[in-house]
């Protein structure tokens, strides 16, 4: 393998990496190029991959230690033989879901920011895709911070927000949680709204998810209004990349400086993705 080919996918973020078979061991110098491209482009897509679960885990582990999925609504792993992996799917077998998030929209979020040290990366491998719908979008939070109006930057400097753990991005309550009616009482970690990326040193917005978010120390009304402004800004189309899935796609994203969301799709179609995520490599800052 001589070198990888990296092609930008959208002005905001995202690149496609060609010339790689991820099922085979990657030479260290090739992986170093992939890792650099990932830090530069935030989301990388590899097309035409056929990976077994152990192969997906082996590729994922080049980035760091695997981080098991957070609690799902059913309280047990979808892949008992690989509990460190997750399944995203609407497929049911004998009435029981084989994966999470169903066929509805999954709202904008970063993964598991309700814990003190959220995963630094996540990887999705598309095994079955619907004929249409189910597209996934990522947004670049470096750019969102850079282009944030000065008055908003000033209002959030030094501020933290609560990242609610109660609901997943499809709106389902995680097992073991209670309904939250007051965001000030939401269970979950607090993180600075402006984060310094631990590897690139660049500042970015760190919003987590909108539902039950709360800016610590503000009146609830003020926090709600400011969060609405921040979210409307951060999720503008100019900061995003849209992924239309093909079977065999593998996408890895930097969870420290991106948000993502997914479109709904026809409930009678099948969508199946296997997923890994990577632990934070150092304490969250
Ligand atoms: C996820 O949020 O990890 C899943 C996104 C998707 O289903 O495309």
């Amino acid at each position: 393998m001589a070198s990888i080919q990296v092609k930008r996918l959208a002005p905001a973020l995202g690149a496609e990496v060609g010339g790689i078979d991820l099922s085979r061991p990657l030479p260290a110098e090739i992986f170093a190029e992939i890792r650099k491209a990932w830090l530069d482009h935030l989301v990388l897509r590899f097309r035409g991959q056929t990976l077994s679960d152990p192969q997906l885990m082996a590729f994922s582990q080049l980035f760091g230690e695997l981080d098991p999925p957070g609690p799902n609504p059913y309280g047990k792993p979808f892949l008992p033989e690989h509990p460190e992996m997750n399944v995203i799917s609407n497929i049911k077998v004998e009435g029981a879901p084989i994966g999470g998030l169903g066929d509805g929209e999954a709202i904008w979020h970063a993964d598991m920011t309700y814990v003190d040290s959220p995963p630094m990366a996540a990887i999705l491998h598309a095994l079955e895709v619907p004929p249409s719908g189910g597209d996934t979008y990522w947004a670049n939070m470096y750019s969102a911070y850079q282009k944030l109006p000065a008055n908003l930057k000033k209002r959030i400097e030094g501020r933290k927000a609560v990242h609610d753990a109660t609901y997943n991005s499809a709106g389902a309550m995680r097992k073991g949680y209670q309904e939250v009616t007051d965001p000030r009482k939401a269970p979950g970690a607090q993180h600075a709204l402006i984060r310094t990326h631990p590897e690139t040193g660049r500042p970015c917005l760190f919003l987590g998810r909108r539902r039950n978010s709360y800016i610590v120390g503000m009146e609830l009304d003020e926090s709600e209004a400011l969060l609405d402004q921040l979210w409307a800004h951060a999720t503008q189309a100019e900061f995003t990349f849209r992924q239309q899935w093909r079977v065999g796609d593998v996408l890895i994203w930097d969870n420290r400086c991106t948000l993502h969301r997914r479109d709904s799709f026809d409930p009678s179609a099948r969508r199946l993705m296997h997923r890994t995520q990577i632990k934070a490599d150092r304490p969250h800052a």
Side-chain angles (χ1 to χ4, degrees):
M1 253 184 250
S3 181
I4 60 170
Q5 298 119 41
V6 180
K7 197 180 92 204
R8 189 180 275 278
L9 287 168
L13 75 166
E16 180 153 324
V17 179
I20 295 276
D21 177 354
L22 299 180
S23 69
R24 298 161 65 103
L26 295 179
E29 61 278 15
I30 295 292
F31 180 67
E33 287 185 44
I34 292 176
R35 199 178 160 96
K36 180 176 180 316
W38 174 62
L39 289 174
D40 289 346
H41 296 280
L42 288 55
V43 178
L44 293 183
R45 179 169 79 193
F46 303 83
R47 291 219 124 138
Q49 306 295 322
T50 307
L51 301 183
S52 64
D53 288 338
Q55 286 167 338
L56 176 59
M57 286 194 285
F59 171 62
S60 306
Q61 281 165 327
L62 295 174
F63 288 85
E65 197 184 334
L66 296 184
D67 201 2
N72 64 42
Y74 315 101
K76 52 182 186 201
F78 290 119
L79 286 177
E81 64 283 25
H82 298 302
E84 61 279 64
M85 291 186 66
N86 202 356
V87 179
I88 305 297
S89 187
N90 65 323
I91 300 170
K92 291 185 178 163
V93 173
E94 291 171 3
I98 65 162
L101 301 187
D103 51 47
E105 180 187 358
I107 57 162
W108 283 112
H109 67 286
D111 294 316
M112 285 179 66
T113 60
Y114 50 86
V115 301
D116 287 337
S117 278
M120 68 165 178
I123 303 180
L124 272 177
H125 182 27
L127 302 174
E128 294 186 55
V129 300
S132 63
D135 298 347
T136 308
Y137 303 73
W138 280 267
N140 181 335
M141 291 301 105
Y142 291 129
S143 306
Y145 175 70
Q146 247 171 21
K147 296 205 175 155
L148 192 65
N151 69 318
L152 290 183
K153 272 189 184 156
K154 200 152 182 279
R155 286 182 69 195
I156 61 170
E157 251 163 41
R159 291 276 186 184
K160 289 184 167 187
V162 175
H163 293 231
D164 177 40
T166 312
Y167 302 94
N168 72 16
S169 57
M173 192 181 289
R174 299 178 206 277
K175 198 168 172 71
Y177 287 88
Q178 313 279 328
E179 196 188 346
V180 172
T181 49
D182 182 344
R184 289 168 296 193
K185 299 187 182 141
Q190 295 184 7
H191 297 293
L193 280 160
I194 305 167
R195 177 182 192 185
T196 304
H197 191 288
E199 287 188 77
T200 65
R202 296 176 61 197
C204 53
L205 272 184
F206 196 67
L207 298 179
R209 64 195 65 205
R210 176 65 187 91
R211 187 170 189 172
N212 291 331
S213 184
Y214 166 64
I215 302 179
V216 180
M218 282 190 176
E219 293 299 324
L220 186 55
D221 288 358
E222 189 189 359
S223 163
E224 289 288 312
L226 182 49
L227 285 168
D228 284 347
Q229 280 181 287
L230 292 172
W231 277 93
H233 168 79
T235 57
Q236 291 175 88
E238 66 172 296
F239 302 132
T240 68
F241 151 65
R242 174 187 186 187
Q243 157 70 356
Q244 294 178 287
W245 292 93
R246 292 188 198 161
V247 169
D249 282 351
V250 171
L251 270 85
I252 174 163
W253 62 95
D254 190 329
N255 193 48
R256 300 165 289 191
C257 53
T258 60
L259 295 170
H260 58 284
R261 68 166 284 276
R262 183 196 76 191
D263 282 340
S264 61
F265 55 97
D266 178 355
S268 66
R270 288 167 63 101
R271 189 176 189 271
L272 175 62
M273 315 242 159
H274 280 195
R275 187 184 195 283
T276 55
Q277 51 187 21
I278 317 298
K279 280 193 175 154
D281 53 343
R282 60 190 84 177
H284 183 97

